[in-house]
Amino acid sequence: MPDLNAILSQAAGRFSLESLLSSLLTLLVCLLAVRLLMKVLRRLLSRSRLEERVRRYVLTAAKLLLYTLTVIFTAGSLGINMNSLVALLSVGGLGITLAAEDILGNVAGGLVILSSHPFSIGDFIESGGVSGTVGEINLNHTMLLTPDGYTALLPNKELAASKVINYTVLGRRRIVWKMSASYDAPTETVKQACRRAVEATPNILEDPEPTIFLTGFGESGIDYTVYCWTVTDDWWPTQFALAENLRREFAAAGVEIPYNKLDVKIVKGGE
């Protein structure tokens, strides 16, 4: 049976006062270097445009890396077999990477989102068929507060690689509202009714100027589309108010709104 002392001696080397003093000196130099490098990194990050949470993540990762190198250098000065230690760290790191692939992907996506600023907290966005107001952005996921009153957690890995529509960044949003009118109603009469409805609706912007177009011919009526703009915060109530005003102005102008009708004729027997 192999001698335990021999195995430990081969693995860790022979400790001596000289090696201990050398490793202590190495440790002190490494700690001073870590302190200096972290100070320089903090100064550089403070001058960058990165968000505060991104700076904290970068500082934490840098500190972890520097302290890992400190352990490796100190262990090497003690005579410990560095090849075995590095191999052990590599295998452990590979195992952690494979086990946490999705987590690391989300972290990478979170760093991309926080550094590139495609949206910010409070913006109304749409991605992957989900829309809502951004309530929180962290390294793992982004939380949306939907108009229906629930929260949606979108993984940053998918969010950073998919199409994102930001409705808030421009500060205004377009309303597109379609109406149908009877074929008997003159085109100009319908357009005048639409203009009066737009003028009666509050919060519609004058620039860009609202426009009304004839956009199609349906089975039972002609389609008209109203295009106008409002600030993002007023988009929902403004479009609903516009719909009510269109209904009222069409009725005032005598414009019939077509709908599917079924005519039934009852014929008496023998006729």
Side-chain angles (χ1 to χ4, degrees):
M1 184 174 180
D3 186 9
L4 181 59
N5 291 330
I7 296 176
L8 294 176
S9 177
Q10 183 178 2
R14 296 183 179 277
F15 297 131
S16 64
L17 180 61
E18 182 180 354
S19 64
L20 290 175
L21 291 176
S22 176
S23 63
L24 180 60
L25 180 60
T26 302
L27 177 61
L28 292 176
V29 172
C30 289
L31 292 177
L32 289 175
V34 169
R35 185 174 181 180
L36 178 61
L37 291 174
M38 291 300 298
K39 184 177 181 179
V40 173
L41 182 59
R42 288 191 186 93
R43 185 172 300 175
L44 292 176
L45 290 175
S46 65
R47 299 176 181 175
S48 67
R49 297 181 179 179
L50 296 176
E51 291 188 358
E52 179 63 27
R53 68 177 70 187
V54 179
R55 298 176 189 174
R56 293 198 300 267
Y57 294 141
V58 172
L59 288 174
T60 301
K63 185 179 295 185
L64 179 61
L65 176 61
L66 291 174
Y67 280 130
T68 301
L69 293 176
T70 299
V71 172
I72 293 176
F73 291 149
T74 304
S77 65
L78 284 172
I80 297 176
N81 190 339
M82 296 304 300
N83 293 330
S84 301
L85 182 59
V86 172
L88 180 61
L89 292 175
S90 299
V91 172
L94 178 60
I96 294 175
T97 301
L98 293 176
E101 181 179 359
D102 289 338
I103 296 177
L104 294 176
N106 288 331
V107 170
L111 290 175
V112 170
I113 292 172
L114 290 171
S115 59
S116 60
H117 302 287
F119 51 81
S120 302
I121 294 177
D123 288 355
F124 190 88
I125 68 171
E126 178 181 348
S127 180
V130 180
S131 59
T133 303
V134 179
E136 180 183 354
I137 306 172
N138 58 39
L139 284 184
N140 189 47
H141 63 263
T142 296
M143 182 181 71
L144 298 186
L145 307 175
T146 71
D148 297 328
Y150 61 86
T151 60
L153 300 180
L154 304 183
N156 287 335
K157 178 181 179 181
E158 300 176 4
L159 191 59
S162 61
K163 177 182 177 181
V164 177
I165 301 175
N166 192 328
Y167 293 102
T168 303
V169 66
L170 295 179
R172 64 186 183 185
R173 190 171 174 182
R174 189 173 71 168
I175 296 175
V176 180
W177 199 271
K178 296 183 179 180
M179 291 290 293
S180 293
S182 170
Y183 275 98
D184 297 332
T187 299
E188 189 57 34
T189 300
V190 176
K191 288 187 175 182
Q192 286 293 344
C194 291
R195 293 189 186 98
R196 289 194 298 270
V198 170
E199 293 172 356
T201 304
N203 301 323
I204 290 182
L205 302 178
E206 296 181 358
D207 185 23
E209 182 180 0
T211 54
I212 299 100
F213 295 102
L214 190 159
T215 53
F217 299 92
E219 294 181 359
S220 57
I222 299 177
D223 298 329
Y224 296 84
T225 304
V226 179
Y227 299 92
C228 54
W229 291 80
T230 186
V231 296
T232 304
D233 292 339
D234 295 331
W235 188 79
W236 289 102
T238 301
Q239 65 172 340
F240 297 146
L242 176 62
E244 294 180 359
N245 290 332
L246 285 169
R247 168 81 176 184
R248 185 183 65 251
E249 294 298 335
F250 270 42
V255 177
E256 180 185 358
I257 300 176
Y259 58 93
N260 294 329
K261 293 180 287 186
L262 178 63
D263 294 331
V264 179
K265 183 178 181 181
I266 301 176
V267 180
K268 294 182 179 180
E271 295 185 3

